[in-house]
């Protein structure tokens, strides 16, 4: 009897430990946990099927590498990498792109220095340009320069031009680039229904006026974009903690979703 009681207590303790670990995992990854639970967001708006900028893009695999912003990083990525992302700013004086994420960074290489490594290594990855300062002032010049890069580095059907200003992506679409509208930053799980409706309306209005090839945003925006813009490809960035049960389930969900075309990981 004592032996059976000991075994029972041992398994009970093991189960309790597992449940505690799961609870801790859910708390540590609460953003992903929320996304895994179905949510309606609002019944005041219906899904919208809107016109696309239907330009091709080579996507051999869904998992891409985020922030390849230095020569060293380009030199280190796997030879078979499917895609990579760069944060770029156009310098209208020098008429070229510099690569860095924000103004606090002291290293700001020119994109051609990084792409020279890409060419030397004979990489075939597609490239996502997160265009941080696209504007009416640099739209034409930057478009001509990125077209030049496409030709020089043999990047036909391999470039995404992403911006939070969709009105300036139109000319890139006309030039054959795959474009992505970086949706306004908001977390639908932390906003009121009124704010969610406003965000949906803003995205829809911009897409009606300036069709893009895809929508891009944070992982927690993914369920809302999927529900209300069902014909638009989704490009997102997410965390990938291989030791987390929640993270593994979430990333498997992304991997199995055909509407999600690209997921950026560090």
């Amino acid at each position: 009897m004592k032996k059976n009681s000991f075994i029972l207590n041992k398994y009970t303790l093991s189960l309790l430990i597992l449940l505690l670990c799961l609870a801790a995992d859910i708390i540590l990854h609460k953003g992903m946990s929320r996304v895994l639970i179905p949510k309606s967001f609002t019944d005041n708006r219906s899904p919208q099927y809107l016109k696309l900028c239907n330009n091709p893009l080579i996507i051999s695999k869904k998992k891409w590498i985020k922030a390849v912003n230095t020569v060293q990083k380009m030199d280190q990525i796997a030879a078979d990498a499917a895609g990579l992302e760069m944060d770029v700013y156009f310098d209208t004086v020098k008429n070229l792109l510099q690569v860095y994420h924000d103004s606090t960074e002291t290293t700001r290489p020119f994109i051609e220095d990084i792409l020279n490594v890409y060419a030397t290594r004979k990489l075939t990855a597609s490239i996502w340009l997160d265009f941080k300062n696209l504007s009416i002032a640099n739209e034409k010049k930057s478009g001509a320069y990125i077209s030049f890069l496409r030709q020089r580095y043999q990047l036909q059907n391999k470039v995404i031009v992403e911006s939070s200003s969709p009105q300036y992506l139109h000319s890139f679409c006309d030039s054959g680039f795959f474009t992505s509208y970086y949706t306004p930053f908001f977390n639908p799980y932390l906003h009121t229904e009124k704010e969610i409706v406003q965000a949906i309306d803003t995205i829809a209005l911009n897409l009606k006026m300036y069709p893009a090839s895809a929508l891009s945003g944070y992982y927690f925006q993914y369920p809302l974009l999927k529900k209300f813009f069902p014909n638009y490809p989704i490009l997102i960035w997410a965390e990938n903690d291989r030791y987390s049960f929640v993270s593994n389930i979430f990333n498997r969900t992304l991997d199995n979703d055909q509407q999600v075309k690209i997921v950026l990981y560090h």
Side-chain angles (χ1 to χ4, degrees), residues 26-232:
I26 291 171
I27 292 169
L28 287 171
H29 300 90
K30 60 183 179 181
M32 293 183 189
S33 302
R34 277 195 297 246
V35 172
L36 288 170
I37 301 170
K39 184 176 174 65
S40 64
F41 299 111
T42 180
D43 294 323
N44 292 320
R45 291 294 182 272
S46 299
Q48 302 187 53
Y49 292 81
L50 302 173
K51 184 180 177 182
L52 285 155
C53 166
N54 273 316
N55 290 328
L57 177 69
I58 296 172
I59 306 175
S60 60
K61 296 176 186 175
K62 186 174 289 191
K63 295 180 181 179
W64 287 26
I65 304 167
K66 186 172 175 59
V68 182
N69 289 341
T70 64
V71 168
Q72 292 75 14
K73 188 75 179 285
M74 182 66 83
D75 201 34
Q76 292 168 358
I77 69 170
D80 63 347
L84 56 96
E85 180 244 16
M86 296 180 183
D87 301 296
V88 300
Y89 294 78
F90 190 73
D91 186 323
T92 53
V93 176
K94 297 178 180 177
N95 197 36
L96 47 72
L97 288 170
Q98 289 186 288
V99 186
Y100 60 98
H101 188 270
D102 55 55
S103 59
T104 61
E105 295 183 29
T106 54
T107 303
R108 300 180 180 184
F110 300 135
I111 193 169
E112 289 181 60
D113 292 334
I114 299 176
L115 289 177
N116 285 338
V117 177
Y118 174 97
T120 299
R121 295 188 61 200
K122 298 181 179 179
L123 299 176
T124 59
S126 293
I127 297 175
W128 173 339
L129 299 178
D130 180 353
F131 202 152
K132 299 290 190 182
N133 70 332
L134 178 60
S135 68
I136 191 171
N138 62 30
E139 178 186 356
K140 288 185 178 180
K141 281 190 173 183
S142 64
Y145 180 67
I146 294 173
S147 294
F148 157 75
L149 295 176
R150 177 175 59 183
Q151 184 66 29
R152 178 178 180 181
Y153 294 98
Q154 300 178 23
L155 296 171
Q156 287 77 10
N157 301 334
K158 288 186 175 183
V159 177
I160 302 171
V161 180
E162 177 200 35
S163 174
S164 59
S165 301
Q167 65 270 37
Y168 307 126
L169 287 173
H170 185 69
S171 60
F172 287 91
C173 177
D174 289 344
S175 297
F177 287 100
F178 188 97
T179 63
S180 186
Y181 171 29
Y182 176 17
T183 55
F185 178 82
F186 69 99
N187 188 334
Y189 296 92
L190 303 178
H191 285 69
T192 65
E193 183 177 2
K194 181 180 179 181
E195 291 170 328
I196 290 171
V197 168
Q198 288 174 341
I200 294 168
D201 288 347
T202 297
I203 295 169
L205 179 61
N206 279 326
L207 291 177
K208 287 173 183 175
M209 293 190 296
Y210 315 107
S213 307
L215 294 171
S216 47
Y218 290 85
Y219 72 87
F220 46 75
Q221 295 174 309
Y222 145 66
L224 182 138
L225 298 178
K226 177 179 174 63
K227 177 177 179 180
F228 293 100
F229 305 97
N231 70 314
Y232 256 78

